Amino acid sequence: MHLDLSGKTALVTGSTQGIGEAIAVGLARAGARTAVNGRKPDAVDEAVARLREAVPGAEVVAAPGDVASAEGASALVDALPVVDVLVNNVGIFGSRPALEITDDEWRRYFEVNVLAAVRLTRAYLPGMRERGWGRVQYIASDSAVVIPAEMIHYGVSKTALLGVSRGFAKEAAGSGVTVNCVIAGPTRTGGVEDFVYELVDRSLPWDEAQREFMRLHRPQSLLGRLIEPEEIANLCTYLASPLASATTGAAVRVDGGYVDSIVP
């Protein structure tokens, strides 16, 4: 299976680390001109350097900016006016007792996890429709379907992305543009490693801590381990490719069987 994105420009938000960085690498390997985004210019430059090292000859663009703000998103669009593949990956998460989540925290999670994606879709989807080709993706989570008791604000924000994705897929109907949500399962990133140690004994070695976390807090997983970021990136790269032209309006799972359902 040859995934060819030559001649296409891809933007991955929040791509200076973790899942976002892995997706950027996957898209670059498929031949896309790839824009790396993050709030801190230094972190963006470092990620760009790593991507160029991982994919020699790749065309990589630094695209710093805080897409969680209207001003930051607008500045990014001005700097990168044409995007063929938009992967809305940026997001925040963290544990918090449900009754202690403040109004400001709820607003912050909605701004970062939902509105950032809405703003960029609103900016880039019209151009994709005019050109007759495009790909929009939203990185959701198993938490969108199985709301975690320890971070319901995060789960609800990801549930909202499922609706956002389906709605914009209808807006793009018949245009050659596909819009999909990727339901990522528990994935090993630096942030998740910190989160694991918030919930299990910090004195445990990582492999043991990971197993304990999955046993106690994610027992539904059929994989029995955390997913690697590259495994998420593989699906995103396929969905971005011309080969995925008939997949739109979908919530596609790469969750290690975590969601206990026989349908997506």
Side-chain angles (χ1 to χ4, degrees):
M1 184 179 291
H2 182 55
L3 305 181
D4 185 6
L5 288 168
S6 300
K8 306 298 184 184
T9 294
L11 167 63
V12 185
T13 65
S15 48
T16 59
Q17 61 182 342
I19 292 173
E21 183 172 4
I23 295 170
V25 170
L27 295 173
R29 282 184 176 145
R33 172 178 178 254
T34 304
V36 175
N37 165 257
R39 290 183 296 111
K40 300 176 180 178
D42 288 348
V44 171
D45 290 342
E46 291 169 4
V48 166
R50 289 195 300 271
L51 203 163
R52 287 175 175 157
E53 183 178 355
V55 188
E59 186 176 359
V60 187
V61 178
D66 183 3
V67 297
S69 72
E71 297 79 8
S74 179
L76 174 58
V77 173
D78 288 344
L80 192 70
V82 176
V83 165
D84 303 295
V85 177
L86 170 63
V87 181
N88 293 292
N89 167 76
V90 71
I92 55 175
F93 70 95
S95 60
R96 185 81 162 156
L99 297 178
E100 295 179 12
I101 304 169
T102 66
D103 287 359
D104 285 344
E105 287 174 300
W106 276 106
R107 292 188 188 98
R108 177 63 176 159
Y109 271 73
F110 194 82
E111 283 279 349
V112 178
N113 293 358
V114 183
L115 278 182
V118 170
R119 290 188 187 101
L120 292 180
T121 304
R122 199 166 55 212
Y124 288 120
L125 181 55
M128 294 180 187
R129 288 195 306 190
E130 290 172 10
R131 294 187 297 274
W133 198 94
R135 300 286 186 264
V136 180
Q137 297 177 30
Y138 304 88
I139 306 304
S141 164
D142 55 82
S143 296
V145 183
V146 185
I147 303 293
E150 72 276 7
M151 50 179 185
I152 66 170
H153 51 339
Y154 170 76
V156 169
S157 71
K158 292 298 183 177
T159 304
L161 280 184
L162 300 181
V164 166
S165 176
R166 182 69 183 181
F168 278 121
K170 292 179 179 180
E171 181 67 20
S175 67
V177 179
T178 67
V179 183
N180 293 290
C181 222
V182 173
I183 297 180
T187 305
R188 181 180 181 178
T189 65
V192 168
E193 289 185 16
D194 292 339
F195 177 64
V196 165
Y197 278 119
E198 288 180 14
L199 298 173
V200 302
D201 187 349
R202 287 186 177 273
S203 67
L204 293 175
W206 169 248
D207 285 344
E208 189 176 341
Q210 175 184 220
R211 288 194 299 271
E212 184 74 355
F213 170 78
M214 296 299 285
R215 183 181 70 82
L216 293 176
H217 298 283
R218 300 294 185 269
Q220 304 97 314
S221 172
L222 303 182
L223 200 60
R225 63 168 173 82
L226 289 171
I227 299 165
E228 294 299 322
E230 293 75 17
E231 293 174 302
I232 309 295
N234 291 340
L235 177 59
C236 293
T237 304
Y238 166 72
L239 288 175
S241 78
L243 298 184
S245 55
T247 303
T248 191
V252 187
R253 289 165 50 193
V254 56
D255 66 344
Y258 179 79
V259 177
D260 192 9
S261 172
I262 59 173
V263 295

